[in-house]
Amino acid sequence: MRHYPIFLDLQDQPVLVVGGGEVAARKAAMLARAGASVSIAAPRLAPELSTAVADGRYRHVADHYAPQLLAGQRLVIAATDDRSVNARVAADAEQRGVLVNVVDQPALCRFIVPSIVDRSPILVAISSGGAAPVLARLIRERLESLLEPSVGALARFAERWRSRIREALPDVRRRRAFLESLLRGHAAWLIRHGHEAQADRLLETRLKESSGNGSSNDETGSVALVGAGAGDVSLLTLAALRHLQDADVVLFDRLVSPDILDLIRRDARRIDVGKRVGSRLHSQDSISQRLVREAQAGNRVVRLKGGDPLVFGRGGEEIDALREAGIAFAVVPGVTAANACAAHAGIPLTHRGVARAVHLFTAQADAPGGPRYRSPTPLDDPETTLVAYMGVSRLPSLRDSLLDAGRDPDTPVALVENGGRPEQRVIVTDIAALADAATKHAVSAPALAIVGKVAAMALDNHWYGAPPIDARSVRCRVQSPIAMSQAQAA
Ligand code: SAH
């Protein structure tokens, strides 16, 4: 170990920064964040330093460095671009026993400054001992994404309860076990999702049980509705990943890929509630009731859904059931199919001058006997991009509704099958040829129809998976939709 790691308490302690440039400004700002009282010695000050001096946050004590400026300082940072000044600061500080850091000159440093991940009061410091600062920074970035932002709130919660817990559980071993289960368990979940009052109540109860003054066991679990993203595993959010690794029970759908299921905590129970067409096995109602029951049994439950849980995911009904049963819940958004398909097919859902709105709808609602759109509808606005979910078996009726609504039969349509997955296919057609093209190319679920001028851009913007298939009835490749709209505007 080349350096001895410490965390310094610099509250109200005098520290000196020699230098007035941008680097000096960064160093001064970090020292000030730790509560130090910062003095600056430099002939010229960078704008943020002069502002801080004018505001009284730092003191500008000298234009030029002199050894007597070190008197009474806890530490000094030399950040000038004059190496001889830096060397003098280092030598003088060593002689006086003041801790010194010279920026970018490790040989002159008595202390070095680590990369940090700040989740105050939790602070992680990373150092490569000066050997590979860039590597230290990369490690920091990984920790940044791993350590959830709420870990600070959790530490403050533990701090708030610390003396109560110490009183109630004088035995060190029992106390440690209690704290561990607290920080891993349901109370931590509640804190992470902002249910502080509920976490306090839970802790109160648990503390009573553990200290033997009662034996109520009314701990309820929680449910997170988690979007897995549409497409492959890389579209999972960090929040979703954390939930999968925390869960006791996971209820998942057909549209969730096996790669994502692999990320679930090993000893969690997995329940497949995929509702296959015609199967009466898992009605929405029975799924909602199952969520409630599992949570009431004290489990941390994850309801994992393809795409986003609140876009044609029936998450709203599940929330209703949870709310009525008084179960704590959280919702983690996911990349919905419209976004995943558009991105991977190279289709801008809105495009300046071409499409100014996006309308997500389900082709199912257009089924004969189903609730029909009433006029005026977004279906007839040529500058609205339409995205139809769940439409594979309904393409003829989708075509008819669009034509009824007055959309031009030549309007481009992109059928995106398995969007965002390696086996993705994109078929560019138009309203008139929509149903025939789907039959000819045997489009199957899951697939999405994107309707509007922007859909044809898939032909030019291909970047992912197999090249798009051009199945328009009139193939006019001379003018791209952008060129057309520009020509119209002119
Ligand atoms: N909650 C999901 C949608 C569920 S409805 C979401 O936000 O994406 C199921 C429909 O979504 C499918 O019928 C299909 O139209 C669409 N879909 C989901 N994943 C898809 C994918 N990878 N490619 C194309 N369409 C997809």
Side-chain angles (χ1 to χ4, degrees):
M1 188 159 74
R2 174 70 183 77
H3 293 93
Y4 182 67
I6 56 171
F7 287 94
L8 272 182
D9 183 355
L10 284 180
Q11 285 297 317
D12 301 322
Q13 298 300 301
V15 300
L16 179 68
V17 174
V18 183
E22 263 172 42
V23 178
R26 271 206 314 275
K27 302 291 171 188
M30 196 58 124
L31 288 164
R33 228 165 101 183
S37 133
V38 180
S39 296
I40 315 256
R44 277 176 308 280
L45 299 184
E48 56 266 52
L49 285 176
S50 3
T51 316
V53 168
D55 293 351
R57 281 179 284 138
Y58 309 156
R59 292 190 310 143
H60 185 197
V61 287
D63 286 343
H64 296 284
Y65 167 74
Q68 56 272 25
L69 293 172
L70 294 173
Q73 303 292 348
R74 288 291 190 181
L75 61 82
V76 55
I77 294 183
T80 76
D81 43 19
D82 183 332
R83 289 177 88 85
S84 72
V85 173
N86 288 350
R88 269 200 292 136
V89 175
D92 296 343
E94 284 288 275
Q95 206 189 9
R96 288 169 170 76
V98 177
L99 292 173
V100 59
N101 175 276
V102 180
V103 172
D104 286 340
Q105 285 181 265
L108 298 182
C109 290
R110 181 53 56 194
F111 73 93
I112 57 174
V113 183
S115 285
I116 61 162
V117 181
D118 188 355
R119 298 282 189 278
S120 285
I122 300 292
L123 197 58
V124 182
I126 305 129
S127 158
S128 66
V134 176
L135 182 58
R137 209 194 63 223
L138 293 178
I139 293 172
R140 194 204 80 198
E141 281 168 13
R142 291 180 63 177
L143 291 175
E144 279 284 0
S145 55
L146 268 170
L147 273 182
E148 53 200 306
S150 61
V151 69
L154 193 55
R156 285 191 295 276
F157 174 69
E159 183 183 34
R160 197 147 49 71
W161 278 88
R162 199 173 160 187
S163 53
R164 283 279 316 275
I165 294 174
R166 191 183 291 257
E167 258 166 47
L169 302 170
D171 179 64
V172 183
R173 291 230 315 271
R174 280 186 66 199
R175 188 161 68 231
R176 190 175 303 145
F178 181 83
L179 277 167
E180 273 190 28
S181 82
L182 168 73
L183 295 175
R184 281 216 192 98
H186 184 47
W189 190 97
L190 291 169
I191 289 291
R192 255 187 256 137
H193 297 96
H195 303 292
E196 207 154 311
Q198 251 170 298
D200 282 339
R201 278 202 299 280
L202 176 63
L203 197 59
E204 192 83 55
T205 319
R206 295 289 297 282
L207 212 50
K208 273 195 201 119
E209 289 165 19
S210 304
S211 53
N213 306 338
S215 61
S216 65
N217 187 13
D218 61 353
E219 187 182 335
T220 3
S222 52
V223 176
L225 306 185
V226 176
D232 83 359
V233 59
S234 59
L235 295 182
L236 201 72
T237 63
L238 291 170
L241 179 61
R242 285 187 203 113
H243 278 283
L244 293 182
Q245 297 186 341
D246 264 4
D248 301 312
V249 184
V250 180
L251 283 81
F252 63 93
D253 272 350
R254 192 164 35 103
L255 280 175
V256 179
S257 79
D259 294 351
I260 291 177
L261 299 179
D262 276 350
L263 297 170
I264 297 173
R265 191 163 66 92
R266 290 270 165 261
D267 43 359
R269 255 184 309 130
R270 296 144 191 249
I271 303 171
D272 182 353
V273 292
K275 291 162 289 181
R276 283 169 191 84
V277 182
S279 154
R280 297 233 143 240
L281 216 53
H282 299 281
S283 66
Q284 182 54 50
D285 219 34
S286 73
I287 295 173
S288 298
Q289 289 319 313
R290 183 78 185 258
L291 290 176
V292 169
R293 276 205 314 280
E294 293 287 357
Q296 280 168 341
N299 293 310
R300 277 164 303 180
V301 184
V302 164
R303 173 72 177 104
L304 186 62
K305 291 161 177 288
D308 181 274
L310 303 181
V311 177
F312 303 118
R314 308 196 69 172
E317 285 147 87
E318 290 166 3
I319 290 176
D320 287 344
L322 296 168
R323 202 191 50 237
E324 274 159 30
I327 310 273
F329 65 89
V331 184
V332 178
V335 177
T336 189
N339 289 129
C341 292
H344 289 91
I347 298 172
L349 291 174
T350 66
H351 193 88
R352 217 179 148 74
V354 182
R356 57 183 174 166
V358 184
H359 178 66
L360 308 185
F361 71 114
T362 164
Q364 297 286 344
D366 256 9
R372 281 198 151 257
Y373 274 93
R374 298 226 171 83
S375 204
T377 77
L379 300 195
D380 53 26
D381 172 15
E383 287 188 30
T384 293
T385 304
L386 307 175
V387 184
Y389 285 68
M390 301 183 281
V392 178
S393 58
R394 303 267 177 226
L395 292 175
S397 84
L398 176 63
R399 175 198 57 207
D400 296 345
S401 312
L402 294 172
L403 294 175
D404 283 355
R407 277 268 177 143
D408 183 343
D410 289 342
T411 305
V413 178
L415 297 169
V416 186
E417 180 191 79
N418 278 311
R421 301 191 187 142
E423 62 274 26
Q424 166 178 300
R425 286 199 305 160
V426 178
I427 291 135
V428 177
T429 173
D430 46 48
I431 295 178
L434 173 59
D436 297 339
T439 311
K440 178 169 171 215
H441 296 282
V443 175
S444 64
L448 203 71
I450 302 180
V451 183
K453 281 184 197 159
V454 291
M457 293 179 190
L459 294 169
D460 296 327
N461 295 348
H462 165 248
W463 66 273
Y464 179 84
I469 299 166
D470 189 347
R472 290 173 294 175
S473 21
V474 185
R475 295 189 191 185
C476 157
R477 305 209 58 177
V478 194
Q479 280 190 316
S480 77
I482 309 174
M484 273 157 54
S485 80
Q486 280 162 351
Q488 278 161 11

